[in-house]
Amino acid sequence: MATTAWAPPTERLEQVRAFMVERVLPNERTIEKQDDAGEQLLEQLQDEVRALGLWAPHVPPDAGGSGTGFLDYAYLNEHIGRSMFGQLVFGCQAPDAGNAEILHLFGTDEQKERWLQPLVAGQIRSFFSMTEPEVPGSDPTTLRTRAVRDGDEWVIDGHKWFSSGADGAAFGIVMAVTDPDAGPHARATQIIVPANTAGVDVVRPIEVMGHEGKGWTTHCEVRYTNVRVPVANTLGAEGAGFLIAQRRLGPGRIHHVMRWLGQMQRAFELMCEYSLQRETSTGPLADKQTIQNWIADSYAEIQACRFMTLDAAHKIDAGDEARVEVSAIKFFAARVLNDVIDRAVQVHGARGLTDETPLARMLMQARAGRIYDGPDEVHRQVVAKRILKAFANGTGWQFS
Ligand SMILES: Cc1cc2nc3c(=O)[nH]c(=O)nc-3n(C[C@H](O)[C@H](O)[C@H](O)COP(=O)(O)OP(=O)(O)OC[C@H]3O[C@@H](n4cnc5c(N)ncnc54)[C@H](O)[C@@H]3O)c2cc1C
């Protein structure tokens, strides 16, 4: 990187890179099985990460992590993201990472002690329960789940789905309408709901692209029927659900993109290596111009994503919400991620669809990236609207 303002955390970066190469990638298939052997190995690797002082790099030491800001995390996460399970090994997996951040920012001392500390320590898992099957997740002002005050308790009734990781989680953060008469963005509140509360029913892990998942890899349908939790479980202020969601989703989106950078680069490397190896009667695949175009386009697009991510991370560290930058990188990187993996699969021919390479699994995971945390179309709209507003105000848009 040319500019020192974007200097990487050199020593930790090398530690993370080496750990991914030596410990995580060779063990990926075992961990992915999520059976007893996989779970045991995962715990062992997590202990090794803790011993190296690299645990939970998304949150600062006062929240129990080893984080030193967004920019540093972008560099580390680029390596952690090379494997889908890297985030679990380093204790910075979605949705726990985002939940930890909002608990750190908005939680009371009691909430931090009860939920944040064990969450960041990796002793428990959590889920974030906002999306509902009956209304568009892209427009959460339409949410139907209700929480009604009854004395010192909230009584929650509603129906959610795609609550990722709800299977086996200790608690969820539930977005519920608490004042239906308030303005659209002041209606909802986030409430911490222990998963073992009466009336919380994790109905099923939804089968997504042929996979139900297990534990952390599930996306669950959850019903809340007459669920009573203390009002003290309110996260932040009553009615601040959207404000907190924004604080959660902004960083969450860029965390995804950081990991995608690792996925893109892994697919890119596999594409380049295989195109040199695979011989046709007229020479290796690498000699074909179409393949060269895919490699050149992928290189340019990946590098553009890297710089856009580092730029957004740098701005967030400087106190900027970077709404345009985060939305732009969310939809742009999601497309690049899918394109690069798809090209790598194509270069591998039928082998690209087998489990002899990680590409097929990567492709399957990548598709959802264009939908979760806001579909491409919504992020494009955010970017365009904000830029047009700046032009309408006469300031125009400054790229630097
Ligand atoms: C793998 C995965 C994990 C997820 N994890 C969680 C989670 O942990 N917690 C949680 O609460 N939710 C989660 N979600 C849900 C996710 O956030 C929603 O799917 C997303 O917000 C879109 O909502 P929707 O599916 O209801 O689609 P809808 O809002 O119904 O949109 C459908 C389609 O309409 C189009 N569209 C929507 N709005 C516009 C617009 N303004 N302009 C143009 N086109 C538009 C888009 O193409 C969009 O894909 C997850 C989703 C996936 C796929």
Side-chain angles (χ1 to χ4, degrees):
M1 185 69 51
T3 162
T4 48
W6 288 3
T10 316
E11 197 181 322
R12 277 192 306 149
L13 184 62
E14 178 47 32
Q15 282 181 299
V16 168
R17 191 202 63 75
F19 196 84
M20 286 301 298
V21 170
E22 290 160 21
R23 301 295 290 137
V24 179
L25 295 178
N27 288 310
E28 192 177 35
R29 294 296 279 154
T30 309
I31 303 169
E32 276 173 355
K33 288 194 182 120
Q34 294 190 281
D35 57 10
D36 288 349
E39 294 296 321
Q40 229 175 348
L41 181 58
L42 173 66
E43 282 174 26
Q44 184 192 319
L45 294 177
Q46 288 173 328
D47 284 343
E48 291 176 29
V49 166
R50 286 188 186 95
L52 287 168
L54 298 171
W55 182 255
H58 59 298
V59 282
D62 66 323
S66 60
T68 50
F70 262 86
L71 187 65
D72 285 357
Y73 186 45
Y75 284 110
L76 304 182
N77 221 359
E78 187 175 6
H79 287 279
I80 292 170
R82 290 176 74 90
S83 166
M84 183 196 161
F85 279 79
Q87 49 187 313
L88 208 54
V89 172
F90 280 81
C92 54
Q93 69 281 358
D96 299 317
N99 286 345
E101 278 178 75
I102 52 177
L103 279 164
H104 177 55
L105 287 172
F106 298 99
T108 61
D109 288 346
E110 258 177 31
Q111 290 169 352
K112 286 181 182 168
E113 195 182 325
R114 177 152 181 214
W115 305 111
L116 178 64
Q117 285 173 14
L119 184 66
V120 175
Q123 292 155 358
I124 57 173
R125 284 192 300 99
S126 65
F127 59 101
F128 186 70
S129 211
M130 181 155 95
T131 308
E132 302 177 0
E134 293 84 5
V135 291
S138 308
D139 180 5
T141 60
T142 60
L143 289 179
R144 291 184 183 171
T145 294
R146 286 280 278 121
V148 178
R149 274 288 277 268
D150 182 18
D152 287 344
E153 289 182 325
W154 286 116
V155 184
I156 305 173
D157 284 280
H159 184 205
K160 303 282 188 181
W161 79 342
F162 278 88
S163 292
S164 299
D167 176 38
F171 72 98
I173 297 180
V174 179
M175 182 94 157
V177 174
T178 44
D179 183 358
D181 299 325
H185 292 100
R187 277 178 204 156
T189 300
Q190 298 203 8
I191 302 170
I192 302 167
V193 178
N196 61 4
T197 311
V200 176
D201 180 15
V202 179
V203 180
R204 57 169 178 145
I206 302 155
E207 209 170 291
V208 178
M209 297 179 97
H211 293 264
E212 263 189 10
K214 184 182 168 196
W216 174 65
T217 55
T218 56
H219 306 290
C220 297
E221 177 183 353
V222 186
R223 279 195 186 274
Y224 301 87
T225 311
N226 204 19
V227 173
R228 287 180 170 268
V229 294
V231 167
N233 282 21
T234 309
L235 183 59
E238 196 175 322
F242 281 96
L243 186 141
I244 300 176
Q246 193 48 49
R247 290 296 289 269
R248 181 185 189 285
L249 290 171
R253 283 167 187 141
I254 193 170
H255 289 175
H256 289 310
V257 176
M258 293 168 183
R259 285 192 294 270
W260 295 346
L261 294 174
Q263 294 280 294
M264 293 172 197
Q265 288 168 54
R266 192 172 179 191
F268 179 77
E269 288 159 18
L270 289 166
M271 172 163 61
C272 293
E273 284 160 10
Y274 194 75
S275 70
L276 286 167
Q277 271 167 32
R278 190 66 158 174
E279 287 286 340
T280 70
S281 62
T282 55
L285 285 178
D287 285 353
K288 314 283 179 206
Q289 194 172 21
T290 297
I291 308 267
Q292 291 170 359
N293 285 343
W294 287 344
I295 289 169
D297 287 350
S298 299
Y299 167 78
E301 289 163 1
I302 294 170
Q303 197 64 299
C305 286
R306 292 189 74 240
F307 290 142
M308 286 170 77
T309 306
L310 295 173
D311 176 50
H314 181 60
K315 286 181 174 146
I316 293 172
D317 275 344
D320 191 330
E321 254 192 295
R323 291 282 287 273
V324 167
E325 289 81 354
V326 169
S327 276
I329 190 60
K330 168 69 172 56
F331 80 76
F332 182 68
R335 208 245 319 132
V336 171
L337 174 73
N338 278 274
D339 285 353
V340 173
I341 298 173
D342 188 70
R343 288 173 194 143
V345 166
Q346 193 70 14
V347 166
H348 282 75
R351 180 168 284 117
L353 298 175
T354 70
D355 285 343
E356 285 183 20
T357 84
L359 289 167
R361 299 191 302 283
M362 289 163 69
L363 187 65
M364 194 186 75
Q365 296 293 335
R367 186 61 186 85
R370 294 189 50 205
I371 296 175
Y372 58 69
D373 283 7
D376 294 356
E377 296 75 16
V378 172
H379 287 293
R380 281 198 170 87
Q381 208 171 20
V382 169
V383 170
K385 274 187 175 171
R386 287 192 164 241
I387 291 176
L388 287 170
K389 194 171 164 194
F391 277 94
N393 290 342
T395 52
W397 185 257
Q398 306 301 320
F399 276 87
S400 55

